[in-house]
Coordinates of all heavy atoms in Angstrom, one line a residue:
M1245 N 17.3 -5.0 6.5 CA 16.8 -3.7 6.8 C 15.4 -3.5 6.4 O 15.0 -4.1 5.3 CB 17.7 -2.7 6.2 CG 17.2 -1.2 6.3 SD 18.2 -0.1 5.4 CE 19.1 0.7 6.8
Y1246 N 14.6 -2.9 7.1 CA 13.2 -2.6 6.8 C 13.1 -1.1 6.4 O 13.8 -0.2 7.0 CB 12.3 -2.8 8.0 CG 12.1 -4.3 8.3 CD1 13.0 -5.0 9.1 CD2 11.1 -5.1 7.7 CE1 12.9 -6.3 9.4 CE2 11.0 -6.4 8.0 CZ 11.8 -7.0 8.8 OH 11.7 -8.3 9.1
T1247 N 12.1 -0.8 5.6 CA 11.9 0.6 5.3 C 10.4 0.8 5.0 O 9.7 -0.2 4.5 CB 12.7 1.1 4.1 OG1 12.5 2.5 3.9 CG2 12.3 0.4 2.8
D1248 N 9.8 1.9 5.2 CA 8.4 2.2 5.0 C 8.3 3.4 4.0 O 9.1 4.3 4.1 CB 7.6 2.6 6.2 CG 7.5 1.4 7.2 OD1 7.7 0.3 6.8 OD2 7.2 1.7 8.4
A1249 N 7.3 3.3 3.1 CA 7.0 4.4 2.2 C 5.5 4.7 2.4 O 4.7 3.7 2.6 CB 7.3 4.0 0.8
Y1250 N 5.1 5.9 2.4 CA 3.7 6.2 2.6 C 3.3 7.5 2.0 O 4.1 8.4 1.6 CB 3.4 6.2 4.1 CG 4.1 7.3 4.8 CD1 3.6 8.6 5.0 CD2 5.4 7.1 5.4 CE1 4.2 9.6 5.7 CE2 6.1 8.1 6.1 CZ 5.5 9.4 6.2 OH 6.1 10.4 6.9
A1251 N 2.0 7.6 1.8 CA 1.4 8.9 1.4 C 0.2 9.0 2.3 O -0.6 8.1 2.6 CB 0.9 8.8 -0.1
T1252 N 0.0 10.3 2.8 CA -1.1 10.6 3.7 C -2.0 11.6 3.1 O -1.5 12.6 2.6 CB -0.5 11.1 5.1 OG1 0.4 10.1 5.6 CG2 -1.6 11.3 6.1
Y1253 N -3.3 11.4 3.2 CA -4.3 12.4 2.7 C -5.2 12.9 3.8 O -5.7 12.1 4.6 CB -5.1 11.7 1.6 CG -4.3 11.2 0.5 CD1 -3.8 9.9 0.5 CD2 -3.9 12.0 -0.6 CE1 -2.9 9.4 -0.5 CE2 -3.1 11.5 -1.6 CZ -2.6 10.2 -1.6 OH -1.8 9.8 -2.6
N1254 N -5.4 14.2 3.9 CA -6.3 14.8 4.8 C -7.7 14.7 4.2 O -8.0 15.4 3.2 CB -5.9 16.2 5.1 CG -6.8 16.9 6.1 OD1 -7.9 16.4 6.4 ND2 -6.4 18.0 6.6
L1255 N -8.6 14.0 4.8 CA -10.0 13.9 4.3 C -11.0 14.6 5.1 O -12.2 14.5 4.8 CB -10.4 12.4 4.3 CG -9.5 11.4 3.5 CD1 -10.1 10.0 3.5 CD2 -9.4 11.9 2.0
S1256 N -10.6 15.4 6.1 CA -11.6 16.2 6.8 C -12.3 17.1 5.9 O -11.7 17.8 5.1 CB -10.9 16.9 8.0 OG -9.8 17.7 7.5
D1257 N -13.6 17.1 6.0 CA -14.5 18.0 5.3 C -14.5 17.7 3.8 O -14.8 18.6 3.0 CB -14.2 19.5 5.5 CG -14.3 19.9 7.0 OD1 -15.3 19.3 7.6 OD2 -13.5 20.6 7.5
V1258 N -14.0 16.6 3.3 CA -14.0 16.3 1.9 C -15.2 15.3 1.5 O -15.6 15.4 0.4 CB -12.6 15.6 1.5 CG1 -12.6 15.3 0.0 CG2 -11.5 16.5 1.9
G1259 N -15.6 14.5 2.4 CA -16.7 13.6 2.1 C -16.4 12.4 1.3 O -17.2 11.8 0.6
V1260 N -15.1 12.0 1.3 CA -14.7 10.8 0.5 C -15.0 9.6 1.4 O -14.8 9.5 2.6 CB -13.1 10.8 0.3 CG1 -12.7 9.5 -0.4 CG2 -12.8 12.0 -0.6
N1261 N -15.7 8.5 0.7 CA -16.1 7.4 1.5 C -15.6 6.0 0.8 O -15.9 5.0 1.3 CB -17.6 7.3 1.7 CG -18.3 7.3 0.4 OD1 -17.8 7.1 -0.7 ND2 -19.7 7.4 0.5
Y1262 N -14.8 6.1 -0.3 CA -14.4 4.9 -1.0 C -13.1 5.2 -1.7 O -12.9 6.2 -2.2 CB -15.4 4.5 -2.0 CG -15.3 3.0 -2.5 CD1 -15.7 2.0 -1.6 CD2 -14.7 2.8 -3.7 CE1 -15.6 0.7 -2.1 CE2 -14.6 1.4 -4.1 CZ -15.0 0.4 -3.3 OH -14.9 -0.9 -3.7
F1263 N -12.2 4.2 -1.6 CA -10.9 4.3 -2.3 C -10.8 3.1 -3.2 O -11.0 1.9 -2.8 CB -9.7 4.3 -1.4 CG -8.4 4.3 -2.0 CD1 -7.9 5.5 -2.5 CD2 -7.6 3.2 -2.2 CE1 -6.6 5.5 -3.2 CE2 -6.4 3.2 -2.8 CZ -5.9 4.4 -3.3
K1264 N -10.5 3.3 -4.5 CA -10.4 2.2 -5.5 C -9.1 2.4 -6.2 O -8.7 3.5 -6.6 CB -11.6 2.4 -6.5 CG -11.6 1.3 -7.5 CD -12.8 1.5 -8.4 CE -12.9 0.5 -9.5 NZ -14.1 0.7 -10.4
A1265 N -8.4 1.2 -6.4 CA -7.1 1.3 -7.1 C -6.7 -0.1 -7.6 O -7.3 -1.1 -7.3 CB -6.0 1.8 -6.2
K1266 N -5.7 -0.1 -8.5 CA -5.0 -1.3 -9.0 C -3.6 -1.3 -8.4 O -3.0 -0.2 -8.4 CB -5.0 -1.4 -10.5 CG -6.4 -1.6 -11.1 CD -6.3 -1.8 -12.5 CE -7.7 -2.0 -13.1 NZ -7.7 -2.4 -14.5
L1267 N -3.1 -2.4 -7.9 CA -1.7 -2.4 -7.4 C -1.0 -3.7 -7.9 O -1.6 -4.7 -8.1 CB -1.7 -2.2 -5.9 CG -2.4 -3.3 -5.0 CD1 -1.4 -4.3 -4.6 CD2 -3.0 -2.6 -3.8
S1268 N 0.3 -3.5 -7.9 CA 1.2 -4.6 -8.3 C 2.6 -4.3 -7.9 O 2.9 -3.1 -7.6 CB 1.0 -5.0 -9.8 OG 1.6 -4.0 -10.6
L1269 N 3.5 -5.2 -8.1 CA 4.9 -5.0 -8.0 C 5.4 -4.6 -9.4 O 4.9 -5.1 -10.4 CB 5.6 -6.2 -7.6 CG 5.4 -6.7 -6.1 CD1 6.1 -7.9 -5.8 CD2 5.8 -5.6 -5.1
D1270 N 6.3 -3.7 -9.5 CA 6.9 -3.3 -10.8 C 7.6 -4.5 -11.4 O 8.4 -5.2 -10.7 CB 7.9 -2.2 -10.5 CG 8.5 -1.6 -11.8 OD1 8.7 -2.3 -12.8 OD2 8.8 -0.4 -11.8
S1271 N 7.3 -4.8 -12.6 CA 7.8 -6.1 -13.3 C 9.3 -6.1 -13.4 O 9.9 -7.1 -13.6 CB 7.1 -6.3 -14.6 OG 7.4 -5.2 -15.5
A1272 N 9.9 -4.9 -13.4 CA 11.4 -4.8 -13.5 C 12.1 -5.4 -12.2 O 13.3 -5.6 -12.3 CB 11.8 -3.4 -13.8
Y1273 N 11.3 -5.6 -11.2 CA 11.9 -6.0 -9.9 C 11.4 -7.3 -9.4 O 11.2 -7.5 -8.2 CB 11.7 -4.9 -8.8 CG 12.4 -3.6 -9.2 CD1 11.7 -2.7 -10.0 CD2 13.7 -3.4 -8.9 CE1 12.4 -1.5 -10.4 CE2 14.4 -2.2 -9.2 CZ 13.7 -1.3 -10.0 OH 14.3 -0.1 -10.4
L1274 N 11.1 -8.2 -10.3 CA 10.5 -9.5 -9.9 C 11.6 -10.6 -9.9 O 11.4 -11.6 -9.3 CB 9.4 -9.9 -10.8 CG 8.2 -9.0 -10.8 CD1 7.1 -9.5 -11.7 CD2 7.6 -8.8 -9.4
Q1275 N 12.6 -10.5 -10.7 CA 13.6 -11.5 -10.8 C 14.7 -11.3 -9.8 O 15.4 -10.2 -9.9 CB 14.2 -11.6 -12.2 CG 13.2 -11.9 -13.3 CD 12.4 -13.2 -13.1 OE1 13.0 -14.2 -12.7 NE2 11.1 -13.2 -13.2
G1276 N 15.0 -12.2 -8.9 CA 16.0 -12.0 -7.9 C 15.4 -11.7 -6.6 O 14.2 -11.6 -6.4
D1277 N 16.3 -11.5 -5.6 CA 15.9 -11.3 -4.2 C 15.7 -9.8 -3.9 O 16.7 -9.1 -3.7 CB 16.9 -11.9 -3.3 CG 16.6 -11.7 -1.8 OD1 15.4 -11.3 -1.5 OD2 17.5 -11.9 -1.0
Y1278 N 14.5 -9.4 -4.0 CA 14.1 -8.0 -3.7 C 13.3 -7.9 -2.4 O 12.6 -7.0 -2.2 CB 13.3 -7.4 -4.8 CG 14.2 -7.0 -6.0 CD1 14.3 -7.9 -7.1 CD2 15.0 -5.9 -6.0 CE1 15.1 -7.6 -8.2 CE2 15.9 -5.6 -7.1 CZ 15.9 -6.5 -8.2 OH 16.7 -6.2 -9.3
G1279 N 13.5 -8.9 -1.6 CA 12.9 -8.9 -0.2 C 11.4 -9.1 -0.3 O 10.9 -9.9 -1.1
S1280 N 10.7 -8.5 0.6 CA 9.2 -8.6 0.7 C 8.5 -7.3 0.8 O 9.1 -6.3 1.4 CB 8.9 -9.6 1.8 OG 9.3 -9.0 3.1
S1281 N 7.3 -7.2 0.4 CA 6.5 -5.9 0.5 C 5.1 -6.2 0.9 O 4.5 -7.2 0.4 CB 6.5 -5.2 -0.9 OG 7.8 -4.8 -1.3
T1282 N 4.6 -5.4 1.8 CA 3.2 -5.4 2.2 C 2.6 -4.1 2.1 O 3.2 -3.1 2.5 CB 3.1 -5.9 3.7 OG1 3.7 -7.2 3.8 CG2 1.6 -6.0 4.1
I1283 N 1.4 -4.0 1.5 CA 0.7 -2.7 1.4 C -0.4 -2.7 2.3 O -1.1 -3.7 2.5 CB 0.3 -2.4 -0.1 CG1 -0.1 -1.0 -0.2 CG2 -0.7 -3.4 -0.6 CD1 -0.2 -0.5 -1.6
Q1284 N -0.7 -1.5 2.9 CA -1.8 -1.3 3.8 C -2.5 0.0 3.5 O -1.8 1.0 3.1 CB -1.3 -1.3 5.3 CG -0.8 -2.6 5.8 CD -0.4 -2.5 7.2 OE1 0.0 -1.4 7.7 NE2 -0.4 -3.6 7.9
F1285 N -3.8 0.0 3.7 CA -4.6 1.3 3.6 C -5.1 1.5 5.0 O -5.7 0.6 5.6 CB -5.7 1.1 2.6 CG -5.2 0.9 1.2 CD1 -5.9 -0.1 0.4 CD2 -4.2 1.6 0.7 CE1 -5.4 -0.4 -0.8 CE2 -3.7 1.3 -0.6 CZ -4.4 0.3 -1.4
L1286 N -5.0 2.7 5.6 CA -5.4 2.9 6.9 C -6.3 4.2 7.0 O -6.1 5.1 6.2 CB -4.2 3.2 7.8 CG -3.2 2.1 8.0 CD1 -2.1 2.2 7.0 CD2 -2.6 2.1 9.4
A1287 N -7.3 4.1 7.8 CA -8.1 5.3 8.1 C -8.0 5.7 9.5 O -8.3 4.8 10.4 CB -9.6 5.0 7.8
D1288 N -7.5 6.9 9.8 CA -7.2 7.3 11.2 C -6.4 6.2 11.9 O -6.8 5.9 13.1 CB -8.5 7.7 11.9 CG -9.2 8.9 11.3 OD1 -8.4 9.7 10.7 OD2 -10.4 9.0 11.3
N1289 N -5.4 5.7 11.3 CA -4.5 4.7 11.9 C -5.1 3.3 12.1 O -4.5 2.5 12.9 CB -3.8 5.2 13.2 CG -2.9 6.3 12.9 OD1 -2.1 6.3 11.9 ND2 -2.9 7.4 13.7
R1290 N -6.3 3.1 11.6 CA -6.9 1.8 11.7 C -6.8 1.1 10.3 O -7.1 1.7 9.3 CB -8.4 1.9 12.0 CG -8.9 0.9 13.0 CD -10.3 1.2 13.4 NE -11.2 1.2 12.3 CZ -12.2 2.1 12.0 NH1 -12.4 3.1 12.9 NH2 -12.9 2.0 11.0
V1291 N -6.2 -0.1 10.3 CA -6.0 -0.9 9.1 C -7.3 -1.3 8.4 O -8.1 -2.0 9.0 CB -5.1 -2.1 9.3 CG1 -4.9 -2.9 8.0 CG2 -3.8 -1.7 9.9
L1292 N -7.5 -0.8 7.2 CA -8.7 -1.2 6.4 C -8.4 -2.4 5.5 O -9.3 -3.2 5.1 CB -9.2 0.0 5.6 CG -9.6 1.2 6.3 CD1 -10.0 2.3 5.3 CD2 -10.7 1.0 7.3
Y1293 N -7.1 -2.5 5.0 CA -6.7 -3.4 4.0 C -5.3 -3.7 4.2 O -4.5 -2.8 4.4 CB -7.0 -2.9 2.6 CG -6.6 -3.8 1.5 CD1 -7.4 -4.8 1.0 CD2 -5.3 -3.7 0.9 CE1 -7.0 -5.6 0.0 CE2 -4.9 -4.5 -0.1 CZ -5.8 -5.5 -0.6 OH -5.4 -6.3 -1.6
S1294 N -4.8 -4.9 4.1 CA -3.4 -5.3 4.1 C -3.2 -6.5 3.3 O -4.0 -7.5 3.3 CB -3.1 -5.6 5.6 OG -1.7 -5.9 5.7
K1295 N -2.1 -6.4 2.5 CA -1.8 -7.5 1.5 C -0.3 -7.7 1.3 O 0.3 -6.7 1.0 CB -2.5 -7.4 0.2 CG -2.2 -8.5 -0.8 CD -3.3 -8.6 -1.9 CE -3.0 -9.7 -2.8 NZ -3.3 -11.0 -2.2
A1296 N 0.2 -8.9 1.5 CA 1.6 -9.1 1.2 C 1.7 -9.3 -0.4 O 0.8 -10.0 -1.0 CB 2.1 -10.4 1.9
L1297 N 2.6 -8.7 -1.0 CA 2.8 -8.8 -2.4 C 4.0 -9.7 -2.8 O 5.1 -9.6 -2.2 CB 3.1 -7.4 -3.0 CG 2.0 -6.4 -2.7 CD1 2.4 -5.0 -3.2 CD2 0.7 -6.8 -3.3
T1298 N 3.8 -10.6 -3.7 CA 4.8 -11.6 -4.1 C 5.0 -11.5 -5.6 O 4.1 -10.9 -6.3 CB 4.5 -13.0 -3.7 OG1 3.3 -13.4 -4.4 CG2 4.2 -13.1 -2.2
R1299 N 5.9 -12.2 -6.2 CA 6.2 -12.3 -7.6 C 4.9 -12.8 -8.3 O 4.7 -12.4 -9.5 CB 7.3 -13.2 -7.9 CG 8.6 -12.7 -7.6 CD 9.7 -13.7 -8.0 NE 10.6 -13.8 -6.9 CZ 11.6 -14.6 -6.8 NH1 11.8 -15.4 -7.8 NH2 12.4 -14.6 -5.8
S1300 N 4.1 -13.6 -7.7 CA 3.0 -14.2 -8.4 C 1.7 -13.5 -8.1 O 0.6 -13.9 -8.6 CB 2.8 -15.7 -7.9 OG 2.6 -15.7 -6.5
T1301 N 1.7 -12.4 -7.4 CA 0.5 -11.6 -7.0 C -0.2 -11.1 -8.3 O -1.4 -11.1 -8.4 CB 0.9 -10.5 -6.1 OG1 1.4 -11.0 -4.9 CG2 -0.4 -9.7 -5.7
G1302 N 0.6 -10.6 -9.2 CA -0.1 -10.0 -10.4 C -0.7 -8.6 -10.1 O -0.3 -8.0 -9.1
I1303 N -1.6 -8.2 -10.9 CA -2.4 -6.9 -10.6 C -3.6 -7.2 -9.8 O -4.4 -8.1 -10.1 CB -2.8 -6.3 -12.0 CG1 -1.6 -6.0 -12.8 CG2 -3.6 -5.1 -11.7 CD1 -1.9 -5.5 -14.2
V1304 N -3.7 -6.5 -8.7 CA -4.8 -6.6 -7.8 C -5.7 -5.5 -7.8 O -5.3 -4.3 -7.7 CB -4.3 -6.8 -6.3 CG1 -5.4 -7.0 -5.3 CG2 -3.3 -8.0 -6.3
N1305 N -7.0 -5.7 -8.0 CA -8.0 -4.6 -7.9 C -8.4 -4.5 -6.4 O -8.8 -5.5 -5.8 CB -9.3 -4.9 -8.8 CG -8.9 -4.9 -10.2 OD1 -8.4 -3.9 -10.7 ND2 -9.3 -6.0 -10.9
V1306 N -8.4 -3.3 -5.9 CA -8.7 -3.1 -4.5 C -9.7 -2.0 -4.4 O -9.7 -1.0 -5.1 CB -7.4 -2.6 -3.8 CG1 -7.7 -2.3 -2.3 CG2 -6.3 -3.6 -3.9
G1307 N -10.7 -2.2 -3.5 CA -11.7 -1.2 -3.2 C -11.9 -1.3 -1.7 O -12.2 -2.4 -1.1
V1308 N -11.8 -0.2 -1.0 CA -12.0 -0.1 0.4 C -13.0 1.0 0.8 O -13.0 2.1 0.2 CB -10.7 0.0 1.3 CG1 -9.8 -1.2 1.1 CG2 -10.0 1.3 0.9
Q1309 N -13.9 0.6 1.7 CA -14.9 1.6 2.2 C -14.2 2.4 3.3 O -13.5 1.9 4.2 CB -16.1 0.8 2.8 CG -17.3 1.7 3.2 CD -18.0 2.2 1.9 OE1 -18.1 1.4 0.9 NE2 -18.4 3.4 1.9
I1310 N -14.3 3.7 3.2 CA -13.6 4.6 4.1 C -14.7 5.0 5.1 O -15.7 5.6 4.7 CB -13.0 5.8 3.4 CG1 -11.9 5.3 2.5 CG2 -12.4 6.8 4.5 CD1 -11.3 6.4 1.7
P1311 N -14.5 4.8 6.4 CA -15.6 5.1 7.4 C -15.9 6.6 7.4 O -15.0 7.4 7.1 CB -15.0 4.7 8.7 CG -13.9 3.7 8.4 CD -13.4 4.1 7.0
S1312 N -17.2 6.9 7.7 CA -17.5 8.3 7.7 C -16.8 9.0 8.8 O -16.3 8.4 9.8 CB -19.0 8.5 8.0 OG -19.4 7.9 9.2
K1313 N -16.5 10.3 8.6 CA -15.8 11.1 9.6 C -14.3 10.8 9.7 O -13.6 11.2 10.6 CB -16.4 11.1 10.9 CG -17.9 11.7 10.9 CD -18.4 11.7 12.3 CE -19.9 12.2 12.2 NZ -20.6 12.2 13.4
T1314 N -13.8 10.0 8.7 CA -12.3 9.8 8.7 C -11.6 11.1 8.4 O -11.9 11.8 7.5 CB -12.0 8.7 7.6 OG1 -12.6 7.5 8.0 CG2 -10.5 8.6 7.4
Q1315 N -10.6 11.3 9.3 CA -9.8 12.6 9.1 C -8.6 12.3 8.2 O -8.2 13.2 7.4 CB -9.3 13.0 10.5 CG -10.5 13.4 11.4 CD -11.2 14.6 10.9 OE1 -10.6 15.7 10.7 NE2 -12.5 14.5 10.7
E1316 N -7.9 11.1 8.3 CA -6.7 10.9 7.6 C -6.7 9.5 6.9 O -7.1 8.5 7.6 CB -5.5 10.9 8.6 CG -4.2 10.7 7.9 CD -3.0 10.8 9.0 OE1 -2.6 11.9 9.2 OE2 -2.7 9.7 9.5
F1317 N -6.4 9.4 5.7 CA -6.3 8.2 4.9 C -4.8 8.0 4.5 O -4.2 8.9 4.0 CB -7.1 8.2 3.7 CG -7.1 7.0 2.9 CD1 -7.7 5.8 3.3 CD2 -6.4 6.9 1.7 CE1 -7.7 4.6 2.6 CE2 -6.4 5.7 0.9 CZ -7.0 4.6 1.4
K1318 N -4.2 6.8 4.8 CA -2.8 6.6 4.6 C -2.6 5.4 3.8 O -3.3 4.3 4.0 CB -2.0 6.5 5.9 CG -0.5 6.3 5.7 CD 0.2 6.0 7.0 CE 0.6 7.3 7.7 NZ 1.4 7.1 8.8
I1319 N -1.7 5.5 2.8 CA -1.3 4.3 2.0 C 0.1 4.0 2.5 O 1.0 4.9 2.4 CB -1.3 4.6 0.5 CG1 -2.7 5.0 0.0 CG2 -0.7 3.4 -0.3 CD1 -2.8 5.5 -1.4
L1320 N 0.3 2.8 3.0 CA 1.6 2.5 3.6 C 2.2 1.2 3.0 O 1.5 0.2 2.8 CB 1.4 2.2 5.1 CG 2.6 1.7 5.9 CD1 3.7 2.8 6.0 CD2 2.1 1.4 7.4
V1321 N 3.4 1.3 2.5 CA 4.1 0.1 2.0 C 5.3 -0.2 3.0 O 6.1 0.6 3.2 CB 4.7 0.4 0.6 CG1 5.4 -0.8 0.1 CG2 3.6 0.7 -0.4
K1322 N 5.2 -1.4 3.5 CA 6.3 -1.9 4.4 C 7.2 -2.8 3.6 O 6.7 -3.8 3.0 CB 5.7 -2.6 5.6 CG 4.8 -1.7 6.5 CD 4.3 -2.5 7.6 CE 3.6 -1.6 8.6 NZ 3.9 -1.8 10.0
Q1323 N 8.5 -2.6 3.6 CA 9.4 -3.4 2.8 C 10.5 -3.9 3.7 O 11.0 -3.2 4.5 CB 9.9 -2.6 1.7 CG 8.9 -2.1 0.7 CD 9.4 -1.3 -0.4 OE1 10.1 -0.3 -0.2 NE2 9.1 -1.7 -1.6
K1324 N 10.9 -5.1 3.3 CA 12.2 -5.7 3.9 C 13.1 -5.9 2.8 O 12.8 -6.5 1.7 CB 11.8 -7.1 4.5 CG 13.1 -7.7 5.1 CD 12.7 -9.1 5.7 CE 14.0 -9.8 6.2 NZ 13.8 -11.1 6.6
E1325 N 14.3 -5.4 2.9 CA 15.3 -5.4 1.8 C 15.8 -6.8 1.6 O 16.0 -7.6 2.5 CB 16.5 -4.6 2.2 CG 17.5 -4.4 1.1 CD 18.7 -3.5 1.5 OE1 18.9 -3.3 2.8 OE2 19.3 -2.9 0.7
G1326 N 15.9 -7.1 0.3 CA 16.5 -8.4 -0.2 C 18.0 -8.2 -0.6 O 18.5 -7.1 -0.5
G1327 N 18.6 -9.2 -1.1 CA 20.0 -9.1 -1.6 C 20.2 -8.1 -2.7 O 21.3 -7.6 -2.8
K1328 N 19.2 -7.9 -3.5 CA 19.3 -7.0 -4.6 C 18.6 -5.6 -4.4 O 18.5 -4.8 -5.3 CB 18.7 -7.6 -5.9 CG 19.5 -8.8 -6.4 CD 18.8 -9.4 -7.6 CE 19.3 -8.8 -8.8 NZ 18.8 -9.5 -10.0
G1329 N 18.1 -5.4 -3.2 CA 17.4 -4.2 -2.9 C 15.9 -4.4 -2.5 O 15.6 -5.4 -1.9
Y1330 N 15.1 -3.4 -2.9 CA 13.7 -3.4 -2.6 C 12.8 -3.6 -3.8 O 13.2 -3.2 -4.9 CB 13.3 -2.1 -1.9 CG 14.0 -1.9 -0.6 CD1 15.1 -1.0 -0.5 CD2 13.5 -2.5 0.5 CE1 15.7 -0.8 0.7 CE2 14.1 -2.2 1.8 CZ 15.2 -1.4 1.8 OH 15.8 -1.1 3.0
H1331 N 11.6 -4.1 -3.6 CA 10.6 -4.1 -4.7 C 10.2 -2.6 -4.9 O 10.4 -1.8 -4.1 CB 9.3 -4.8 -4.2 CG 9.4 -6.3 -4.2 ND1 9.0 -7.0 -3.1 CD2 9.8 -7.2 -5.1 CE1 9.2 -8.3 -3.3 NE2 9.7 -8.4 -4.5
H1332 N 9.5 -2.4 -6.1 CA 8.9 -1.2 -6.3 C 7.4 -1.5 -6.5 O 7.0 -2.3 -7.3 CB 9.4 -0.5 -7.6 CG 10.8 0.0 -7.5 ND1 11.3 0.9 -8.4 CD2 11.8 -0.2 -6.5 CE1 12.6 1.1 -8.0 NE2 12.8 0.5 -6.9
V1333 N 6.5 -0.9 -5.7 CA 5.1 -1.1 -5.7 C 4.5 0.0 -6.6 O 4.8 1.2 -6.5 CB 4.5 -1.1 -4.3 CG1 3.0 -1.2 -4.3 CG2 5.1 -2.1 -3.4
V1334 N 3.6 -0.5 -7.5 CA 2.9 0.4 -8.4 C 1.4 0.5 -8.0 O 0.8 -0.6 -7.8 CB 2.9 -0.1 -9.9 CG1 2.2 0.8 -10.8 CG2 4.4 -0.3 -10.3
L1335 N 0.9 1.7 -7.8 CA -0.5 1.8 -7.3 C -1.2 2.8 -8.3 O -0.7 3.8 -8.7 CB -0.5 2.5 -5.9 CG -1.8 2.7 -5.3 CD1 -2.5 1.4 -5.0 CD2 -1.6 3.5 -4.0

């Protein structure tokens, strides 16, 4: 089974042009089969960044330029369920 988790931000008239974060998998969900997780950052439904997260990924520093006049910025986590459930992504 697949599932998506997301957060959407309205950037119209805000003037935001850069997003910076640290991301990783929650260390409590690294042992065993928790499926797979991919994180994406989108600007007006255009992918700016995409990364598959694994047990060995560690903490990743991410910085993405947000194009001018972007109306909507979305953080999307795509997950495939493993035998023990799902990963937890920390952002």
Side-chain angles (χ1 to χ4, degrees):
M1245 174 184 255
Y1246 290 87
T1247 187
D1248 293 345
Y1250 63 91
T1252 303
Y1253 301 92
N1254 180 348
L1255 299 183
S1256 52
D1257 301 322
V1258 180
V1260 174
N1261 61 7
Y1262 197 77
F1263 178 80
K1264 183 178 176 181
K1266 291 183 180 190
L1267 62 95
S1268 69
L1269 293 176
D1270 186 325
S1271 61
Y1273 298 89
L1274 296 181
Q1275 300 302 318
D1277 179 15
Y1278 286 99
S1280 60
S1281 297
T1282 300
I1283 190 163
Q1284 295 181 329
F1285 301 135
L1286 298 93
D1288 293 333
N1289 293 318
R1290 222 176 56 227
V1291 176
L1292 302 177
Y1293 177 87
S1294 183
K1295 180 157 183 73
L1297 303 175
T1298 67
R1299 288 182 225 176
S1300 60
T1301 300
I1303 298 172
V1304 179
N1305 292 308
V1306 179
V1308 293
Q1309 192 72 38
I1310 298 173
S1312 64
K1313 300 182 182 179
T1314 294
Q1315 298 294 305
E1316 181 181 273
F1317 181 73
K1318 181 185 272 189
I1319 300 168
L1320 175 65
V1321 178
K1322 296 180 174 226
Q1323 297 181 306
K1324 180 182 176 189
E1325 185 176 23
K1328 295 177 87 175
Y1330 297 99
H1331 286 129
H1332 291 195
V1333 177
V1334 179
L1335 180 66

